Amino acid sequence: MTELKCWRHLLLLGILLILSGLALSWTSVSQAAAGPDLSNERGVDLLPSSLARRLALLSLQDRRNLASALRERREPGGLPDDVMEALRTLSEEQRSALLLFLEPPAAPAQEAVVSAAASTDTNRDAVVAPSPSIENTGETGGLRPFGYDLFTGAASTFAPVTDIPVPVDYVIGPGDVVQIQLFGKENAQFDLTVSRDGTLNFPNIGPVPVAGMKFSELRAQIEQRVATQMIGMRANVTLGALRSIRVFVLGEAVRPGSYTVSALSTLTNALLASGGIKPIGSLRNIQLKRSGEIVATLDLYDLLLRGDTRNDARLQPGDVIFVPPVGKTVGIDGAVRRPAVYELTTEHSVSDLIALAGGLEPAAYTAGTQLERIDAHQDRTLVDLDLNNAASGRFELNNGDILRVPSVLQQRESSVTLSGHVLRPGPVPWRKGMRLSQIVRSTRELQPRPDTGYVLILREQRPTRNLQVLSADLGAALAHPRGASDPLLQPGDEVLVLGLDEDRAKTLTPVIFQLRQQTRNGGPEPVVTLSGNLRHPGDYPLVGGMTVRDAIRANLDVLPETDLEYALLRREVEGGRRVETIAIKLGDALQNPRSGANVQLRPRDELYVFSKAADRQELLAPILNELQAQAVRGDGAAIVEIDGAVRKPGRYPLNTGMRIADLVEVAGGLAESAYSLGAELNRFAVIEGKVREVDHVNFALRDALDGRPDTNVLLQPHDRLVIKPVTNWGEAESVELVGEVRFPGNYTIRRGETLSSVLRRAGGLTTYAFPRGAVFTRESLRQREQDEMDKLAARIEAELAQSQLERTQSTDSNTANVDREAISVSRSVVQQIRSTKAIGRLVINLPALLAGPEIAGMSREEYEELDVSLKPGDRLVVPRDTQEVTVLGEVFHGTSHLYRSDLDRDDYIRQSGGTTPKADLARIYIVRANGQVDTANQGFFSSGIFARSATSIQPGDTIIVPLDVERMKPLAFWSEVTKIIGQVGLTVAAFHSVGAL
């Protein structure tokens, strides 16, 4: 019972513990849900409560990153969108409060102790946050204080190690382990720890007081006592594990407090363990205090600049490392090796500051040095210094001064730059009288396929420093050195050589951009634009005296098929307020530089070069739109139009002095079909500002082209010239004869020529021809038949849709079954119609046409009615003689039979197995070899299917047994469908039967 009670008590106790744990967990969850306690946070009273709660959950590192971003006026990353939105709406006062809220408070001294239980080298395992970045202040212009980056990174960077020899001046203290090895008559090994009272308990010798001794003194004493007290034995003394000591790091350290470090630690080790020095702390006056007295001072500049560690004193228990505030600081920027903000101690002059910064760079402009200073009146002033002068080097510095040493100018003096399509680009020394042929001495110095005919010289004008572009012919300069084509170069010139295969407009883009940027007050930039049938259309610099011929040469000439009779120059006049056009004979400009066609170009000119084959209206559209837009009342748009028998009809700009002959030439000249005896000019005029009327002027075109002034009149805005074509002019009309013709092929015909005439030209038919089966087709008939078939298919599809709707509403099952069968069949008919292609056959009587009116027994009028008047595209197919008779349609076995003169229609149907139950016996018809249809059925009406028909059959005929469409009454118009399909389908069958297809 007692054991049972004990178990019950234990079980009850366990339940209570579990419940207590759940209650504690719930309390924690509730507190977490309620948010962190912000009552002790600094600056929280000025922030929105929701934002403060969200930011309080950030880690220490995230807080520091956010604070750094706020100080540097940049947007932090990695935060939720709602937090980012709230941060953007903060005022300056709230930003200051947020910085105070984010700054982590200094850790108390007792919380900054680093445990030394695991190792005497405690900093090796310590976690030290990176020191905050040095601020860039407005006073220093973005300079960073020198030396503080030393403390960025892990704490173990400068931590002492334990596997190094112990220095002889090391002071022994409690906790040190002394390793003693005895050898001689006996061997022994002892690891003895210095006790708290400073003694070393040595077996067989007794306690030895060692506290406060240097290691060298300890070693000498133990070796002497072993030698005297243990006869015949000697000792080797070294140190094992060293003790840990406690020191204090105070002042402007990142994390001031007490630290437990190795006994071998120095000042720098302790500073690194504390996270380093704040930006407001001094790097040059770090004090080591022992028992209230300053025993050493560390200047980190000695370590950073000279690698001197003599003042990096070793620490003892209880030492205090004190970091005072930073002292006198000055900044140095510009062409020095280490631009930064430096703390001064013994340095006072400008020369001392330059020495701290590592000296001047080779590119330093010492004569232009400036010192920025805040004077006694709290005003910023500038002092000019010349570092070449010793007095400037001795200039006294004040706290907060900033020395700025500029660099020499990047621009090279007395040099010329070679660039572009060359093998050795770069600067070349300039000398007086230097010419182009002296910087490029041979084409071997150029890359493959250079353009030696167009080289640019980019020159900077003085004193405006605007870009001036010159051009030169390098080939001519090399051929005639020091001649007129070999220009003199000036200092600072850049010679740009272009390649034949490069995108020239793209290479010149920076030059064009600079020319346009330097243009002021809306003036025209010295740039011309080339468009149209050219190798490299685009913008080009306007060099002095540049003409149309020069511009084409700069573009590497025109492309093939260029219209050399007409090019168009667009030019801005009246300060760019209006546009005018100039027609140019491009061929004359290229062949004769002195001709009037070789117009000198102006800024913003645009040259349009046209192709003989391409449409010109697309290229002219922007100009025509400009001309139309600038038209005003009383001064119509300078646009004329030409239509009719010309090579390039359309709308064209009206040039000054443009006449009828000029417009014809602009349009590419007359077409071959032009009627030179007459043309029409339509001229529009507005009568009294109310009504626009048109006047039609007819004139002799040949006289106008010859230059007669009475017909070659000046054109006016909106004039329309119509060039008439020659009557009956057109492409050659032809027909095709195929098959059993003596000379088959294509034959050109004249208007109104007949089939009999063409057959006589073709030599007639061969002896194997089958004229009764000749097939004559015409394209216009084929298109008409195809249109009718498409319409029919659409009608049937509409009927199908209506029949389906009626079937769904019908309650009669028998009717529904019949309709379903009819719809199924109708769909197959629609597919057949869609797949059937029209032929366009015209039924002709070729045998009678070949026989003539006398043999055919016709009058002349009847015979002429048989002859077909031909049209372009007509085709006659004359097959070889045939002996087949074909039976198709609703028979049991549709096939072809050998012709026999003693058989009629019904006999051939019987030979094909007879008709099917679906056959329409009343509508059996015969398609003759010439395409004619015969529907005679008296044999079937008189005595039935087994009676002999009186209808005769000839070779090449096709007998058709159609489907009985009366079985599908809902589609009553199917008899028409059957006829059309039958005619087309059987025409194709007849073609095959006679060998025409």
Side-chain angles (χ1 to χ4, degrees):
M1 294 294 293
T2 304
E3 294 178 356
L4 182 59
K5 290 181 179 180
C6 291
W7 281 108
R8 287 178 178 176
H9 286 303
L10 290 174
L11 181 59
L12 180 60
L13 179 61
I15 294 173
L16 291 174
L17 290 174
I18 293 173
L19 293 176
S20 299
L22 291 175
L24 181 60
S25 301
W26 176 252
T27 303
S28 301
V29 172
S30 301
Q31 291 176 353
D37 184 13
L38 304 177
S39 59
N40 295 326
E41 296 282 1
R42 301 174 297 168
V44 71
D45 52 337
L46 295 178
L47 297 177
S49 58
S50 59
L51 178 61
R53 283 196 300 270
R54 295 294 300 274
L55 297 178
L57 299 175
L58 297 177
S59 65
L60 181 62
Q61 185 63 40
D62 289 339
R63 282 194 181 198
R64 284 177 173 159
N65 293 338
L66 178 55
S68 177
L70 290 173
R71 283 193 296 269
E72 296 175 5
R73 297 284 178 174
R74 60 180 175 84
E75 189 170 282
L79 296 179
D81 293 340
D82 56 341
V83 176
M84 295 295 299
E85 189 64 31
L87 291 175
R88 296 188 186 101
T89 60
L90 294 180
S91 63
E92 289 298 326
E93 183 180 8
Q94 288 176 321
R95 281 179 173 268
S96 301
L98 180 56
L99 280 173
L100 183 63
F101 170 70
L102 293 172
E103 288 291 349
Q110 62 270 20
E111 295 180 2
V113 177
V114 182
S115 174
S119 170
T120 57
D121 183 10
T122 56
N123 280 341
R124 187 176 301 278
D125 299 325
V127 178
V128 179
S131 61
S133 59
I134 307 302
E135 303 300 325
N136 295 333
T137 62
E139 289 78 6
T140 59
L143 292 174
R144 298 170 65 89
F146 174 74
Y148 292 89
D149 291 340
L150 172 67
F151 305 104
T152 302
S156 60
T157 305
F158 288 92
V161 294
T162 59
D163 55 354
I164 61 174
V166 179
V168 294
D169 59 348
Y170 175 74
V171 179
I172 305 299
D176 287 339
V177 176
V178 181
Q179 295 179 343
I180 303 174
Q181 182 183 13
L182 300 179
F183 56 94
K185 65 177 183 179
E186 294 181 5
N187 294 327
Q189 176 77 35
F190 301 103
D191 290 340
L192 306 178
T193 302
V194 180
S195 63
R196 290 181 180 273
D197 58 359
T199 61
L200 195 67
N201 295 320
F202 199 152
N204 301 325
I205 292 181
V208 179
V210 295
M213 285 185 179
K214 294 183 179 180
F215 174 58
S216 58
E217 298 173 347
L218 168 67
R219 182 166 55 188
Q221 181 181 3
I222 292 179
E223 289 177 352
Q224 189 270 334
R225 294 190 67 171
V226 168
T228 57
Q229 298 183 21
M230 302 177 70
I231 305 301
M233 299 186 67
R234 296 175 65 184
N236 179 37
V237 182
T238 185
L239 290 178
L242 302 181
R243 70 186 183 278
S244 298
I245 62 175
R246 173 168 295 191
V247 297
F248 294 90
V249 182
L250 301 175
E252 301 303 329
V254 173
R255 289 193 304 277
S258 124
Y259 289 85
T260 301
V261 295
S262 168
L264 291 177
S265 296
T266 62
L267 284 170
T268 55
N269 302 137
L271 289 173
L272 288 166
S274 66
I277 299 174
K278 293 180 181 178
I280 62 173
S282 173
L283 297 184
R284 309 203 62 183
N285 188 26
I286 303 171
Q287 302 169 2
L288 176 61
K289 294 186 177 183
R290 189 171 294 157
S291 300
E293 300 293 333
I294 299 177
V295 297
T297 301
L298 175 63
D299 185 352
L300 281 179
Y301 278 24
D302 293 339
L303 174 64
L304 296 172
L305 298 178
R306 290 176 286 277
D308 186 358
T309 61
R310 288 178 296 177
N311 294 326
D312 190 13
R314 186 170 291 107
L315 301 176
Q316 295 186 12
D319 282 355
V320 175
I321 299 100
F322 180 74
V323 183
V326 69
K328 178 181 177 181
T329 58
V330 294
I332 183 169
D333 195 8
V336 293
R337 301 189 185 279
R338 283 191 302 270
V341 177
Y342 291 90
E343 182 182 358
L344 303 183
T345 54
T346 60
E347 300 85 6
H348 303 286
S349 65
V350 170
S351 298
D352 296 336
L353 177 59
I354 293 175
L356 284 178
L360 299 175
E361 291 183 346
Y365 179 53
T366 55
T369 305
Q370 290 183 334
L371 182 71
E372 182 178 333
R373 169 172 290 177
I374 300 177
D375 62 12
H377 303 288
Q378 301 298 309
D379 294 328
R380 292 187 182 273
T381 60
L382 288 177
V383 179
D384 291 329
L385 299 176
D386 185 358
L387 298 183
N388 297 319
N389 189 346
S392 297
R394 295 190 299 269
F395 192 85
E396 193 77 13
L397 296 173
N398 291 344
N399 189 22
D401 285 352
I402 301 176
L403 184 68
R404 305 188 189 278
V405 183
S407 300
V408 297
L409 299 177
Q410 295 292 333
Q411 182 177 358
R412 298 181 180 90
E413 295 294 335
S414 299
S415 66
V416 178
T417 303
L418 182 62
S419 64
H421 202 70
V422 296
L423 294 176
R424 290 187 292 270
V428 177
W430 177 85
R431 56 186 179 273
K432 188 175 182 180
M434 190 176 191
R435 294 180 178 269
L436 176 62
S437 61
Q438 294 173 313
I439 188 174
V440 182
R441 294 180 293 273
S442 170
T443 55
R444 290 194 298 261
E445 299 179 6
L446 307 178
Q447 294 184 22
R449 292 181 56 77
D451 182 8
T452 57
Y454 181 67
V455 174
L456 293 181
I457 301 174
L458 310 180
R459 178 170 295 169
E460 189 178 84
Q461 294 177 317
R462 302 295 175 92
T464 61
R465 304 197 68 176
N466 285 340
L467 177 65
Q468 180 186 8
V469 182
L470 307 174
S471 66
D473 188 340
L474 179 58
L478 294 176
H480 305 284
R482 299 185 176 277
S485 57
D486 191 11
L488 285 168
L489 300 179
Q490 296 182 9
D493 283 355
E494 178 183 353
V495 178
L496 177 61
V497 181
L498 303 174
L500 294 176
D501 301 324
E502 65 181 331
D503 187 349
R504 183 157 299 187
K506 184 177 180 180
T507 304
L508 295 177
T509 297
V511 178
I512 300 300
F513 178 78
Q514 186 173 350
L515 290 174
R516 284 176 171 162
Q517 288 294 107
Q518 70 188 22
T519 304
R520 299 181 181 274
N521 300 324
E525 61 271 14
V527 176
V528 295
T529 303
L530 306 181
S531 303
N533 201 45
L534 299 164
R535 296 188 183 277
H536 300 286
D539 296 329
Y540 287 81
L542 176 64
V543 301
M546 190 176 192
T547 63
V548 171
R549 183 174 182 270
D550 297 332
I552 297 299
R553 185 184 63 176
N555 186 72
L556 277 180
D557 211 346
V558 296
L559 292 175
E561 295 298 318
T562 296
D563 187 355
L564 299 178
E565 296 299 323
Y566 175 64
L568 186 67
L569 182 65
R570 172 194 176 274
R571 174 166 290 172
E572 295 181 2
V573 295
E574 300 179 10
R577 291 187 297 271
R578 291 183 61 82
V579 173
E580 69 177 14
T581 58
I582 302 174
I584 295 175
K585 287 191 175 183
L586 191 59
D588 293 348
L590 296 178
Q591 294 176 5
N592 185 8
R594 299 181 180 275
S595 70
N598 192 26
V599 178
Q600 184 170 341
L601 300 180
R602 299 179 185 176
R604 287 188 183 176
D605 277 358
E606 296 184 25
L607 181 63
Y608 292 84
V609 178
F610 301 99
S611 169
K612 292 181 179 179
D615 184 18
R616 301 180 179 181
Q617 297 304 305
E618 182 178 357
L619 196 60
L620 289 173
I623 303 178
L624 296 175
N625 292 336
E626 284 186 289
L627 295 173
Q628 188 69 48
Q630 72 184 19
V632 295
R633 183 176 180 181
D635 186 9
I639 299 174
V640 291
E641 183 178 0
I642 184 171
D643 197 6
V646 290
R647 300 184 186 278
K648 299 293 179 183
R651 302 169 70 221
Y652 290 89
L654 175 61
N655 306 317
T656 303
M658 192 176 195
R659 296 179 177 271
I660 289 178
D662 299 327
L663 180 57
V664 173
E665 187 176 5
V666 163
L670 296 177
E672 187 180 5
S673 61
Y675 179 59
S676 60
L677 298 180
E680 181 179 278
L681 178 65
N682 300 324
R683 177 159 291 175
F684 299 88
V686 178
I687 307 303
E688 298 180 356
K690 299 179 181 179
V691 180
R692 187 188 189 202
E693 295 184 353
V694 58
D695 187 17
H696 305 292
V697 179
N698 291 294
F699 61 93
L701 180 60
R702 181 180 299 172
D703 295 341
L705 297 180
D706 291 340
R708 291 184 54 176
D710 56 336
T711 54
N712 190 26
V713 298
L714 286 171
L715 296 177
Q716 299 179 9
H718 300 296
D719 278 357
R720 183 173 185 270
L721 180 62
V722 179
I723 306 300
K724 302 174 182 179
V726 173
T727 304
N728 296 332
W729 184 274
E731 295 294 334
E733 299 179 352
S734 63
V735 296
E736 184 181 10
L737 304 183
V738 181
E740 295 301 319
V741 183
R742 290 188 180 276
F743 303 103
N746 291 315
Y747 286 84
T748 301
I749 61 173
R750 62 180 183 276
R751 287 198 173 188
E753 189 170 1
T754 60
L755 179 60
S756 61
S757 173
V758 174
L759 285 174
R760 284 193 296 270
R761 291 164 55 193
L765 305 183
T766 67
T767 57
Y768 300 101
F770 180 49
R772 291 187 58 254
V775 178
F776 184 88
T777 58
R778 178 165 288 173
E779 178 62 25
S780 59
L781 295 178
R782 188 202 64 78
Q783 186 62 46
R784 190 186 311 165
E785 291 174 3
Q786 190 65 51
D787 293 342
E788 291 297 327
M789 292 171 61
D790 294 341
K791 292 178 182 179
L792 180 61
R795 287 175 55 195
I796 296 177
E797 288 173 345
E799 288 287 338
L800 281 175
Q802 181 178 357
S803 299
Q804 287 179 334
L805 179 62
E806 293 176 353
R807 184 170 60 85
T808 56
Q809 298 175 352
S810 176
T811 58
D812 188 352
S813 59
N814 294 329
T815 303
N817 292 333
V818 173
D819 290 345
R820 189 180 299 110
E821 180 182 359
I823 290 173
S824 175
V825 175
S826 63
R827 285 175 178 167
S828 64
V829 172
V830 171
Q831 293 179 357
Q832 184 179 356
I833 295 175
R834 294 291 188 190
S835 61
T836 302
K837 300 301 180 183
I839 300 299
R841 182 178 185 180
L842 179 65
V843 177
I844 61 174
N845 191 350
L846 187 57
L849 188 62
L850 295 174
E854 294 81 6
I855 299 176
M858 298 180 180
S859 63
R860 175 59 60 179
E861 292 78 9
E862 293 175 339
Y863 179 79
E864 291 178 354
E865 291 178 355
L866 292 178
D867 208 353
V868 180
S869 180
L870 297 178
K871 295 182 179 180
D874 285 352
R875 187 169 185 261
L876 177 65
V877 180
V878 182
R880 297 191 67 175
D881 196 8
T882 183
Q883 294 177 299
E884 298 89 11
V885 175
T886 303
V887 181
L888 297 176
E890 292 300 318
V891 293
F892 283 101
H893 183 65
T895 184
S896 296
H897 305 275
L898 186 64
Y899 170 75
R900 287 173 51 186
S901 59
D902 59 334
L903 300 181
D904 62 5
R905 180 193 66 185
D906 299 338
D907 294 332
Y908 287 109
I909 291 176
R910 293 188 188 94
Q911 288 187 2
S912 294
T915 59
T916 66
K918 297 181 181 180
D920 188 351
L921 303 181
R923 292 185 173 86
I924 297 176
Y925 57 94
I926 302 169
V927 179
R928 302 298 181 180
N930 63 354
Q932 184 177 353
V933 178
D934 189 351
T935 59
N937 290 289
Q938 75 176 51
F940 281 90
F941 284 117
S942 59
S943 20
I945 192 164
F946 298 104
R948 186 172 183 84
S949 174
T951 304
S952 62
I953 299 297
Q954 299 296 326
D957 290 350
T958 302
I959 303 171
I960 307 300
V961 181
L963 178 70
D964 188 2
V965 297
E966 295 297 330
R967 295 175 177 269
M968 292 163 281
K969 295 181 180 180
L971 303 177
F973 63 93
W974 277 22
S975 58
E976 180 182 353
V977 176
T978 305
K979 290 179 181 178
I980 294 178
I981 297 177
Q983 290 173 3
V984 176
L986 294 174
T987 300
V988 176
F991 277 22
H992 286 287
S993 67
V994 298
L997 291 180

